[in-house]
């Protein structure tokens, strides 16, 4: 049973990933990329890594993809933006990612309604992850925080408005 | 104990990683290259989760957390560079920046 669920989720992930790298339009590719990440999150859930599944949906499909949307929208602050966005998000475009997401949601419903018969892998609770994170991996957490700080400073520096750049150069 | 064989999970991770690699190599739009990098990060995280689930240890999820952090920092800096590139060169083509001065 869980093998069937895994196969369907894997097929959704593979199909949407292929669609990501073959789309011509960045917004369409982004929709499929979000579906691919959701499918990967479902696979995490099947593997018993509940905490990672939650983080995958919240951080990856939620936060990081929003960054992509911001940048794609920022790059198109032109005159024909409204027509362009209308062309990007025409109704037919939602069918593919919508159907794939519905597949994943159906799997999730099956998973919850038949929770007795569907066995996940070794369930690693968030508690043990947290204990490990602040025990043996404390140095890695500190390094990750420094990496995030460096990323923050770098992103702020790189994405400065061009007016300030010109003022400093002149 | 694991109901799903470990090989299947690792196979899925390998195929996803290959697809991301193909995306990086084939596409020339810098946004698509960044998206393919995300696919590759995600595949690496999936491999860690599969291995962590196989042995019932939390280390796989911790490595996934670190990969998540790395991906977030990489996307922030990468998209900032995309914005700079578009401001200076008015293009998103990665091949347009192949020349160096000097």
């Amino acid at each position: 049973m869980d093998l069937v669920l895994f196969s369907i989720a894997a097929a959704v992930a593979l199909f949407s990933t292929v669609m990501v790298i073959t789309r011509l339009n960045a917004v369409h590719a982004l929709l499929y990329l979000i579906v691919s990440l959701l499918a990967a999150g479902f696979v995490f859930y099947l593997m018993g890594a509940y905490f990672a599944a939650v983080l995958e949906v919240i951080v990856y499909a939620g936060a990081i993809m929003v960054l992509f949307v911001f940048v794609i929208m920022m790059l198109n602050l032109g005159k024909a933006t409204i027509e362009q966005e209308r062309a990007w998000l025409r109704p037919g475009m939602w069918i593919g990612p919508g159907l794939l997401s519905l597949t994943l949601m159906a799997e999730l419903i099956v998973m919850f309604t038949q929770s007795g018969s569907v066995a996940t892998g070794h369930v690693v609770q968030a508690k043990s992850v947290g204990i490990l994170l602040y025990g043996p991996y404390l140095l890695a957490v500190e390094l990750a925080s420094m990496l995030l700080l460096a990323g923050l400073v770098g992103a702020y520096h790189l994405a400065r408005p061009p007016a300030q750049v010109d003022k400093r150069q002149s | 104990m694991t109901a799903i064989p470990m090989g299947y999970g690792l196979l899925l991770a390998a195929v996803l990683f290959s697809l991301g690699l193909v995306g990086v190599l084939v596409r020339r739009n810098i946004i698509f290259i960044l998206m393919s990098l995300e696919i590759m990060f995600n595949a690496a995280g999936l491999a860690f989760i599969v291995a962590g689930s196989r042995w019932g240890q939390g280390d796989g999820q911790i490595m996934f957390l670190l990969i998540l952090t790395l991906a977030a920092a990489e996307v922030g800096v990468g998209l900032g560079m995309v914005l700079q590139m578009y401001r200076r060169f008015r293009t998103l083509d990665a091949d347009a920046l192949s020349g160096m001065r000097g």
Side-chain angles (χ1 to χ4, degrees):
Chain A
M1 182 64 195
D2 42 1
L3 202 58
V4 174
L5 288 177
F6 173 78
S7 309
I8 296 173
V12 168
L14 290 177
F15 178 72
S16 51
T17 307
V18 170
M19 293 298 271
V20 169
I21 64 174
T22 53
R23 288 308 89 183
L24 295 178
N25 195 315
V27 173
H28 299 171
L30 207 54
L31 287 176
Y32 279 108
L33 183 53
I34 291 172
V35 174
S36 168
L37 294 175
L38 290 180
F42 188 77
V43 171
F44 290 174
Y45 187 81
L46 277 180
M47 294 280 174
Y50 299 158
F51 185 52
V54 168
L55 281 181
E56 171 92 6
V57 173
I58 293 178
V59 179
Y60 242 123
I64 298 183
M65 292 304 116
V66 166
L67 275 181
F68 273 101
V69 172
F70 275 161
V71 168
I72 290 172
M73 293 299 166
M74 276 175 79
L75 293 181
N76 290 284
L77 290 176
K79 42 221 164 290
T81 310
I82 297 177
E83 285 77 15
Q84 198 177 18
E85 286 185 19
R86 190 173 294 139
W88 279 352
L89 297 178
R90 61 182 192 282
M93 198 42 231
W94 295 98
I95 293 177
L99 280 181
L100 293 176
S101 313
L102 276 182
T103 312
L104 287 177
M105 190 177 148
E107 280 192 289
L108 206 59
I109 289 172
V110 167
M111 188 93 186
F112 280 133
T113 51
Q114 305 188 351
S115 56
S117 64
V118 178
T120 54
H122 279 290
V123 177
V124 180
Q125 296 290 347
K127 184 180 172 186
S128 61
V129 175
I131 289 173
L132 273 177
L133 206 56
Y134 287 96
Y137 285 95
L138 189 60
L139 191 62
V141 173
E142 297 291 338
L143 286 176
S145 70
M146 283 188 201
L147 176 72
L148 279 179
L149 181 64
L152 175 70
V153 174
Y156 177 71
H157 175 73
L158 283 171
R160 264 184 318 180
Q164 294 181 6
V165 176
D166 292 339
K167 207 191 302 174
R168 275 185 79 178
Q169 281 174 351
S170 61
Chain B
M1 175 70 188
T2 35
I4 301 161
M6 188 187 179
Y8 290 0
L10 289 183
L11 187 67
L12 175 64
V15 175
L16 281 179
F17 190 88
S18 316
L19 282 174
L21 189 62
V22 168
V24 170
L25 294 178
V26 169
R27 301 306 298 260
R28 291 272 62 89
N29 189 326
I30 194 90
I31 297 238
F32 279 92
I33 293 179
L34 280 176
M35 281 188 207
S36 304
L37 277 176
E38 288 305 307
I39 294 172
M40 289 164 76
F41 273 125
N42 192 39
L46 178 61
F48 273 115
I49 293 285
V50 169
S53 161
R54 168 66 180 76
W55 280 286
Q57 299 286 326
D59 304 73
Q61 294 193 43
I62 286 174
M63 289 314 287
F64 175 74
L65 271 177
L66 297 179
I67 288 177
L68 204 64
T69 317
L70 183 66
E74 179 256 352
V75 160
V77 174
L79 288 176
M81 291 172 82
V82 168
L83 283 180
Q84 273 302 335
M85 175 179 168
Y86 189 71
R87 272 185 205 136
R88 296 194 182 188
F89 300 99
R90 288 284 142 196
T91 179
L92 288 179
D93 187 6
D95 282 342
L97 281 87
S98 58
M100 295 176 74
R101 190 182 302 167

